[in-house]
Each structure stands twice: as C-alpha cells, then as structure tokens.
Amino acid sequence: MQSENSYSGVSTTLAPLQNRAFRAIWTATQISSLGWLVQTTAISWLMATISASDLMVALVQASSTLPAFFLSILAGAIADSFSRRGVMLAGHCLIALASATLAISVGLGFVSPWLILGLGFLAGCGFALNDPAWHASVGDILEKRDIPAAVTLMSVGYNIVRSIGPALGGLILAFLGPLAAFILAAVSDLVPLTAVSRSKWHVRSSPLPRERITTAIHDGLRFTAISSEIRAAIVRGTFFALASISILALLPLIVRDNMAGGPIVYGALLAAFGVGAFSAGLGSSYLRRLFSRDQLLAAASTACAACCLVLALTSSLPFVALALAIGGAGWLLTWTGIDVAIQLSSPRWVVGRTLSIYYALSYGGMAAGSWIWGITAQNYSLTVAFEGAAAVLLLVAAAAFVLPIELWKESEQASSEFVPPSLALDLKPRSGPIVVKVDYLIAERNLEAFLGCMRERRRVQSRAGARNWSLQRSLQTPSLWTETYWTPTWVDYLRLNHRLTAGDKEVDDRLVALHEGNLPPEPMLSIGRGTGAVRSRSQPITRISRP
C-alpha cells in the first residue's frame, strides 16, 4: 500500500488528506454528495406533493438502497477481481445517467411516482458498484494506520455536506423549483468521474490468475461467515439500519402532517441531523479514547432511539431539531465504528467482498425498514412507527452484551512470499482436487495446547479456502496427529497460501514449537484420482472428480 504520509505514530484525522489521490477523490465525492442530497431532498418533497400514499414517500429511501442489497455482493467480488478504479468509474456513470434522466424528465414535465422510484433504483445500482470499490481502495491508497482516520473523514465529509445539502435543497425548491435541484445534481455527478479518471495509485498485483466471479463470491461469503468479529459487526449493523432508517424515511411526513411545514423546514431539519453527525465526527477520536467500541456503539444506538421517541411525542420545531442532531451523532458513530471494524478485520484479498456483504445487508435493512415503518405509519400512526423503531434500537444497543465486536487482529499480508513446493508431476492450474496432509508428533503434556492451536488453524485455513478440514489421531501411534484438507484445484491451493496473513502465520509457529519431531512438519500433497483408465503421458492433466 502506498502513501505520501511520512509521519510516525497514530494517524490524525486529517492525515489521509496528505495523499493526493485520496484528497482528490474525497473532495470530488463531497461535491457529488452535495448534489445528491439536494436531489434527494427534492425527490422526497416532490413525492410527498404528487402522491397521497405514506408508503410511496417512505419508499423513496428504499428505492436507492434496495439495489445495494441485491448487487453489493456481486459488486464486491467484481471490486476484488477487477480494477477497483474501473469499477468506481462504472458506478459513477450510472449515477450520472440517473440524475441526468431525472432532470430531463422533470424539464419535459413527465414525472410520476414510479419514474422517481425507478431512477432512484438506477442511481442505487451505481452506488452499489462504487461504494465497495471506493472503500476497499482506501487500503490500497493509504497506509493501514490511516484507515480509521480515512473512514472517519469519509463519514465526517458526508455529514458536513449533509448539514448543508438539505437546507440548500429546501432553498432551491422554494425559490427555483425541483428542476434546478435536479440539474445541480446532474452536473455535480461529473466531478467524481473526472477525479477518479485522473487519479492513479499502486495496487499490489496477484501472480495468480483471476478468480471466477462465482468462486470469488463463494469465498467472500465463506470468509465472512467464519470470521466472528466481522459477523457480529454485520448483524448489529443490519438491525441498526432497519430501525434507524425510520428517522429519514418518515421525516417528510413529520414535517407535512405534524408540523404543517414546507420544504424549507424539511431541509433545515435534515441539516440539523447533519450537524449532529458532523459534530460527532469531530469528537470521534476523543470519544474512542474514553469508551470501548461496544460502549460507544451501544450509546449511539440509544441516541437514535431517543431521537425516535422525541419525533413520536412532539411536533415542536426546536425539540425535533435537537432530537435529530442527537440522532445524527448516533448515526455517524455507528456506521463509522462498524465500517472501521470490518476494514481492519479483512485482508486485502477479500476486503471488497466483506464490505459489500456488510453494505448489502445494511442497505437491505434500510430498504426493509423503510417499507416496515411506512406500512406501520400508514396503517396505524407515525407515533406507533417511531415507538416501534425506538424499541428495536434499544435491543440493538443491548446486543453489545450478546454480540460484542472483538478487538480485531492485524491483517496485513505476510511479508514473505509463498514458495510452491517442488512437484514430480506437471500440474495445470485446473488440475485437482489437491489433498493436503500434515503430520504432527505431539506429546501428551502438550495435547491441550495443540488442540487449541488446531481450532485456530481450522478457522485460518477454512477462511482462506480449505475444504473439508479435519484432524485425525493415529490408533497405532497416539502421538501422531494428521491434519487433512483439500482444495478444488492446484491454483486454489496456491491462492490459499497467498491469502494467509502475518497473524495466520503465527499459528504455524506455535504448532512447530509443540511438534516433537526432528524436522518441522511439512505438508504432503497428493491429487485425487478416479479408478478409470490410466491417462497416457501425452494427455494433459484435467480436473478429476472429487473423492
């Protein structure tokens, strides 16, 4: 990973801006986000004025978040398999296309609720492509120590814009109309396209051939499912998204029905939400020193629950604005904390996929929450909807005791390159399956420590791609233990070893220390074969059915 930073010690919040590529894309993203928030404000208010359905208003949020639920995992695999810069460009092209089409449609006087939702869905597809690639690229552009500061900067930057964009959107709506808002958004979408196309950064290339997309998706899902720290973060983020989206999804109805306000009031209240998030971002480093990660996330969920309760019980503008500022602070602290946890818990080979799974489920939670709370408000009342969301958020806060996000380990790639063993057979990349066996001689006094190491090794090897991992003990020689697993092909075996991190290698060192043999344990490799006719030497080795 490359960085232009030369300082030592803990990264400051502004340190990532010293990197030219990060600074250019970050700045362009803020400009684009400003246009997007102006457009979102205009869309939400336009939907509230042309549709009498509370559900249609709430679905404005769902239309732009639902694509991430369906496409993010695929987008994460694409981001890990292809040029992340190219994927970002493709995503921004879709966003620009959606904004331009909306501006033209409004200019021609052709607008309907379903057109608004459809173009929101198209823009959401662009975000689904761009977000995993951009967030995964942070680790390529910057040093690992700068990642927490960079993620905080990305959230703070967006929430600075959030404090300005909705208010600006309300003013544009009031004095210039929705068309001006949509034109501004379409023009702003061209800025990140220019920044990404002109920025270059070094990405460590793999000596192995590119994975098939289906295999990449499978390996990403497998890694995430086995990684307890990532799994806990994603589960908590999903339920937080489901409940907290009620604040943004139902706010237009609060303004229209409970406060009898217009677009300026709506924009001002969204700005209050952004100001709260911005303030929390500035103080996040200080808060992380005072509280543990789980304490901070629990407090953030509680703050959003308090916001929901105030929205349910009062229509006073000052109290609603204050509640939204508190909710915005909780919103930023939660998303920043979870994003950083997943970034630092994921090796570079899979970070795009772990982030995409997180985005898919959190955006899916937002889309489901928009629908659930919209239906609740329509069939019961806004008060019942917000009280229900507050109850779920309090449960999310309590989840810190059940699903704690453990302190993550360093996940840098191992400094030494893997050297493939010498083979007597001329294997092709698709030859397989490859069966791996490793023998250990373990004294009875070290048995408990050995089994503890092997539990960790099973997790390590399985996350990297090992299949059907097992451990056997010899009945004739009880001190002899054999570790066995297989990979589908020879290139999968090579890929597994290239994926092992420095932290993973420490497990090998502990096992070598427990091994009683004169020589360190070495893997014995074999290839599975069927019982058909013997292949002649002139025939190429092909993939063989699994045993």
Side-chain angles (χ1 to χ4, degrees):
M1 293 180 291
Q2 303 298 312
S3 174
E4 296 174 21
N5 302 336
S6 57
Y7 64 94
S8 60
V10 178
S11 174
T12 64
T13 302
L14 298 180
L17 294 178
Q18 297 179 32
N19 184 284
R20 186 180 297 107
F22 179 84
R23 183 174 64 248
I25 300 175
W26 181 85
T27 304
T29 300
Q30 309 321 308
I31 296 172
S32 177
S33 295
L34 178 64
W36 173 254
L37 286 167
V38 168
Q39 176 174 286
T40 302
T41 304
I43 287 177
S44 297
W45 190 254
L46 182 62
M47 182 68 85
T49 57
I50 67 175
S51 174
S53 170
D54 293 351
L55 178 59
M56 293 298 286
V57 175
L59 286 180
V60 169
Q61 291 288 336
S63 66
S64 59
T65 55
L66 196 59
F69 175 68
F70 291 114
L71 300 178
S72 275
I73 296 177
L74 173 62
I78 292 173
D80 284 335
S81 301
F82 296 88
S83 165
R84 288 170 180 159
R85 180 170 165 270
V87 176
M88 291 165 62
L89 288 171
H92 282 298
C93 283
L94 283 180
I95 298 169
L97 176 62
S99 296
T101 303
L102 183 59
I104 293 171
S105 299
V106 173
L108 295 176
F110 179 73
V111 64
S112 70
W114 288 109
L115 177 65
I116 291 174
L117 294 181
L119 291 175
F121 187 88
L122 180 62
C125 292
F127 284 114
L129 272 177
N130 174 75
D131 286 355
W134 166 223
H135 283 250
S137 294
V138 169
D140 298 328
I141 298 172
L142 300 171
E143 296 287 352
K144 188 178 186 68
R145 66 187 178 189
D146 291 334
I147 290 178
V151 173
T152 301
L153 264 178
M154 291 159 73
S155 295
V156 168
Y158 178 74
N159 284 283
I160 292 174
V161 175
R162 184 189 285 279
S163 65
I164 302 170
L168 178 61
L171 291 172
I172 291 174
L173 275 175
F175 295 105
L176 300 176
L179 178 59
F182 297 141
I183 291 175
L184 173 64
V187 172
S188 69
D189 287 332
L190 301 177
V191 180
L193 276 172
T194 303
V196 175
S197 62
R198 296 180 62 181
S199 298
K200 301 287 192 298
W201 59 87
H202 173 74
V203 179
R204 180 182 177 182
S205 60
S206 172
L208 302 175
R210 182 182 295 129
E211 284 184 278
R212 291 183 299 179
I213 292 298
T214 53
T215 303
I217 292 174
H218 175 272
D219 288 351
L221 291 170
R222 181 185 181 89
F223 182 93
T224 302
I226 294 173
S227 304
S228 59
E229 64 277 15
I230 296 177
R231 191 171 63 244
I234 289 177
V235 169
R236 289 170 62 178
T238 300
F239 282 97
F240 177 83
L242 184 144
S244 63
I245 194 61
S246 62
I247 299 171
L248 298 177
L250 300 180
L251 186 59
L253 303 178
I254 288 286
V255 175
R256 186 191 70 183
D257 299 340
N258 292 7
M259 305 178 70
I264 293 180
V265 173
Y266 176 59
L269 290 177
L270 282 177
F273 187 88
V275 168
F278 170 58
S279 302
L282 291 181
S284 61
S285 297
Y286 176 73
L287 291 173
R288 284 197 295 267
R289 290 194 295 269
L290 289 180
F291 304 101
S292 70
R293 184 180 307 104
D294 283 317
Q295 288 174 336
L296 201 55
L297 290 176
S301 294
T302 304
C304 288
C307 176
C308 288
L309 289 175
V310 173
L311 293 177
L313 299 176
T314 183
S315 58
S316 169
L317 180 60
F319 281 108
V320 170
L322 178 61
L324 286 169
I326 294 172
W331 177 277
L332 179 131
L333 291 173
T334 299
W335 292 128
T336 301
I338 293 176
D339 197 308
V340 169
I342 294 174
Q343 285 255 15
L344 296 184
S345 298
S346 303
R348 299 309 308 161
W349 67 268
V350 76
V351 65
R353 280 163 279 185
T354 56
L355 284 171
S356 70
I357 293 167
Y358 159 56
Y359 294 148
L361 294 177
S362 60
Y363 280 126
M366 289 183 188
S370 297
W371 180 80
I372 290 170
W373 308 123
I375 285 288
T376 304
Q378 183 168 285
N379 293 338
Y380 298 95
S381 68
L382 283 170
T383 299
V384 172
F386 278 119
E387 288 175 347
V392 176
L393 284 166
L394 291 175
L395 290 176
V396 172
F401 299 99
V402 181
L403 289 173
I405 300 176
E406 301 292 341
L407 187 65
W408 51 78
K409 295 180 179 179
E410 290 291 324
S411 52
E412 290 282 4
Q413 293 290 346
S415 56
S416 59
E417 293 290 340
F418 169 69
V419 179
S422 299
L423 302 177
L425 292 177
D426 181 21
L427 295 185
K428 307 300 180 186
R430 300 299 300 167
S431 299
I434 304 301
V435 181
V436 184
K437 294 185 177 182
V438 186
D439 290 335
Y440 303 89
L441 289 173
I442 304 298
E444 195 69 26
R445 66 181 182 277
N446 295 327
L447 188 54
E448 184 175 349
F450 171 74
L451 292 177
C453 285
M454 294 309 284
R455 281 192 293 271
E456 176 66 12
R457 182 165 171 83
R458 177 178 184 173
R459 186 185 70 88
V460 164
Q461 297 292 98
S462 298
R463 289 200 320 175
R467 311 287 180 89
N468 289 5
W469 188 99
S470 64
L471 181 66
Q472 301 94 32
R473 187 179 193 180
S474 171
L475 294 178
Q476 286 80 22
T477 310
S479 62
L480 177 63
W481 294 77
T482 302
E483 172 194 10
T484 305
Y485 61 89
W486 62 272
T487 62
T489 66
W490 173 243
V491 75
D492 288 320
Y493 173 76
L494 299 178
R495 188 172 284 121
L496 182 155
N497 284 277
H498 278 284
R499 289 172 174 172
L500 296 178
T501 67
D504 297 337
K505 298 289 187 182
E506 293 176 2
V507 180
D508 293 348
D509 296 338
R510 297 204 303 270
L511 286 171
V512 170
L514 296 172
H515 177 62
E516 296 286 330
N518 295 325
L519 297 175
E522 292 290 340
M524 182 181 69
L525 306 181
S526 57
I527 185 169
R529 286 299 306 268
T531 55
V534 177
R535 179 186 58 84
S536 67
R537 290 185 176 273
S538 62
Q539 293 175 310
I541 295 178
T542 58
R543 184 174 177 175
I544 301 164
S545 60
R546 299 170 185 171

